[in-house]
Amino acid sequence: MTLSCHDTAEHIYATGLRNQWHPVVPSSFVAPGALRKVTALGEQWLLFRRADGTLAMLDDRCPHRGAPLSLGKHLGDRVACWYHGVEVTTDGTVCAVPGLPGCNLEGKKLVTSLPVQEAGGAILAYFGDEEHPEPAELTLPGPLTDPGTDAFLCYAEWNVPWRYAVENLLDPMHGAFLHHESHSMYDGDTTAKFRIRETDRGYFFEKTDQRGVNFDWVELCRTGVDWVDLEIPYPPSGGPGGPFGIVGMVCPVDERRCGVFFWRYRRVQDWQRDTWRFLYRTLIEQRHWEVLEQDRVMLEALPADADQRENLYQHDLGVVRLRRLFRADAEAQHH
Amino acid sequence: MPDATWPYLDAHQSRTHEPTPYEDKLAATLEEVFTEDGHELTDVIRGLNARQVHAPDGAPWTEESFRAEMHRLGA
């Protein structure tokens, strides 16, 4: 097995929480009949898609001598390691050892195969440790499954620890400063009071004195996968449909890197939906990208020990609560 | 083959093609109409026609032609 119960809590906190689902890469990164190597939770994995679209995710390690299976050959329903031709099926079973037919490796399930699901154009996988191989119940974010809500996925890879990317989302006040020169977050007060409001799936962190003007609230949701929901108003140029929302998820790649998944969504139908999608593709996506780049530049510039030498104030309650939850999980997952 | 490119940073992930000059002009005019004229379909048709931005067939926009064109460009 790849993810061990014996890792330290520090290692788990640094490389991503176990026993839950995480996004991995966009679905489009693995074409039918293709292989793709990915790193997630500090480990190497192989995404394998059959010609019919069925997806599998395997530990990227041949059970024979440890060569990366991602260097191997896609044989339709299995992968053949390039080194000695050992064949592994999508459930992780060695189905042939061409160099020594009848070898006792044949028929054994020696490679970890993670449960996968695809939603909203992204691949999600369940990363259980040795004691929790069965996937946790997964409830997908409502905005990705509700009819009447339309979403575009934006995926980006940042040289940022995963938790800094999540913390950034639990810090709405940065919108009024970092994103002041943007198409959607130029307005509203630059001072605010915040409160935490518990929900049955996480908590809201919200301004008490302003709503619907800037990035004024965020909800952390823990529904088998960790995600945030938030809302930002469009200027009148965005047309009908009101504010746009963001469902955000972060893939812990390794201790220093993450993949960020932002679904920009809007509750629009009919011609309003089509018009938003046209404007989004033509003009708005570029503006959203520029906002996201401001986050990337700032977060990549944070020193590695940023969270060790801080002086927090009231606006950081959402971040403090987040760290407490994640720390507690990491401690509980370490045995 | 595995793709080892890092980082993936692509500003345009929703487009199927670079916008044509016609699409650029239509989008910019729509933003202007939404800002200055309103968000109702009648506002949009009136605003586009008042600005001499025509439907693909060169005719003034109608609700039907606008819906059809947005569906083509935005579906």
Side-chain angles (χ1 to χ4, degrees):
Chain A
M1 291 292 276
T2 346
L3 295 175
S4 164
C5 301
H6 304 294
D7 284 328
T8 62
E10 206 54 45
H11 179 75
I12 293 168
Y13 190 58
T15 57
L17 300 174
R18 317 295 172 69
N19 308 331
Q20 65 178 57
W21 294 77
H22 293 281
V24 183
V25 287
S27 294
S28 62
F29 279 26
V30 197
L35 302 175
R36 186 174 177 115
K37 179 187 185 74
V38 294
T39 307
L41 279 73
E43 306 282 352
Q44 308 299 313
W45 307 93
L46 169 68
L47 288 169
F48 178 101
R49 198 188 289 279
R50 294 166 68 139
D52 67 1
T54 313
L55 184 72
M57 186 160 168
L58 295 166
D59 186 4
D60 190 17
R61 191 182 172 96
C62 179
H64 170 219
R65 296 280 307 282
L69 291 171
S70 56
L71 290 178
K73 292 177 176 43
H74 192 301
L75 296 182
D77 64 340
R78 66 191 69 181
V79 57
C81 180
W82 190 20
Y83 204 7
H84 300 94
V86 172
E87 296 178 13
V88 178
T89 61
T90 52
D91 73 351
T93 304
V94 175
C95 58
V97 179
L100 185 65
C103 162
N104 68 2
L105 293 181
E106 287 180 356
K108 289 191 178 137
K109 193 171 178 308
L110 296 172
V111 180
T112 303
S113 172
L114 300 187
V116 288
Q117 266 201 42
E118 293 184 79
I123 295 166
L124 305 179
Y126 171 75
F127 295 78
D129 64 21
E130 291 139 321
E131 290 180 3
H132 305 86
E134 290 305 313
E137 191 184 332
L138 172 65
T139 305
L140 293 168
L144 302 189
T145 55
D146 292 344
T149 299
D150 191 70
F152 285 105
L153 170 61
C154 173
Y155 168 73
E157 293 172 341
W158 291 354
N159 292 312
V160 170
W162 70 275
R163 55 190 203 284
Y164 287 9
V166 187
E167 288 176 5
N168 185 57
L169 289 164
L170 268 295
D171 165 24
M173 203 58 200
H174 84 268
F177 293 91
L178 182 65
H179 304 311
H180 184 68
E181 306 295 326
S182 77
H183 67 120
S184 57
M185 283 185 263
Y186 51 84
D187 207 2
D189 276 337
T190 50
T191 61
K193 271 206 184 326
F194 281 89
R195 72 173 165 207
I196 286 175
R197 181 157 53 91
E198 302 286 340
T199 66
D200 56 6
R201 59 183 187 178
Y203 64 94
F204 275 90
F205 186 58
E206 58 196 350
K207 292 177 190 166
T208 57
D209 35 17
Q210 176 177 291
R211 189 105 178 178
V213 182
N214 197 300
F215 172 15
D216 295 324
W217 60 270
V218 58
E219 183 186 5
L220 174 76
C221 307
R222 311 199 77 193
T223 61
V225 62
D226 287 340
W227 56 286
V228 300
D229 190 20
L230 60 91
E231 193 179 88
I232 297 170
Y234 268 137
S237 61
F244 77 99
I246 296 178
V247 165
M249 294 186 194
V250 179
C251 173
V253 171
D254 58 25
E255 296 193 8
R256 297 169 297 107
R257 302 183 297 165
C258 66
V260 293
F261 294 72
F262 292 108
W263 285 269
R264 285 86 177 242
Y265 72 86
R266 212 168 183 204
R267 293 192 177 84
V268 274
Q269 286 179 294
D270 191 39
W271 72 271
Q272 301 185 344
R273 168 187 178 274
D274 296 339
T275 305
W276 177 64
R277 290 178 63 85
F278 169 57
L279 288 180
Y280 183 93
R281 288 189 175 126
T282 315
L283 296 170
I284 300 173
E285 184 177 39
Q286 174 74 44
R287 296 177 197 146
H288 282 327
W289 181 258
E290 286 160 12
V291 177
L292 203 59
E293 281 291 276
Q294 294 165 345
D295 290 302
R296 184 179 67 82
V297 166
M298 181 55 67
L299 294 174
E300 289 190 345
L302 290 180
D305 66 346
D307 62 353
Q308 305 300 306
R309 297 167 62 182
E310 297 171 319
N311 293 285
L312 304 178
Y313 54 86
Q314 200 259 350
H315 295 175
D316 305 308
L317 289 174
V319 169
V320 170
R321 173 133 184 77
L322 188 73
R323 288 180 184 167
R324 197 177 303 144
L325 288 172
F326 289 166
R327 280 266 182 210
D329 279 2
E331 294 289 344
Q333 289 172 11
H334 153 70
H335 298 286
Chain B
M1 282 298 291
D3 184 344
T5 56
W6 177 280
Y8 175 86
L9 292 171
D10 182 358
H12 292 292
Q13 301 180 27
S14 67
R15 285 181 180 173
T16 52
H17 63 277
E18 191 68 18
T20 64
Y22 157 74
E23 288 163 5
D24 275 332
K25 184 173 184 192
L26 181 57
T29 310
L30 273 171
E31 287 203 323
E32 192 182 304
V33 169
F34 285 140
T35 303
E36 295 173 2
D37 300 21
H39 286 173
E40 299 298 324
L41 188 52
T42 51
D43 301 327
V44 177
I45 304 305
R46 196 182 328 107
L48 287 176
N49 287 332
R51 287 169 179 77
Q52 306 286 311
V53 176
H54 297 303
D57 61 0
W61 291 99
T62 63
E63 290 198 7
E64 292 66 38
S65 67
F66 181 75
R67 283 174 184 273
E69 183 66 343
M70 283 303 112
H71 193 65
R72 185 180 76 83
L73 295 169

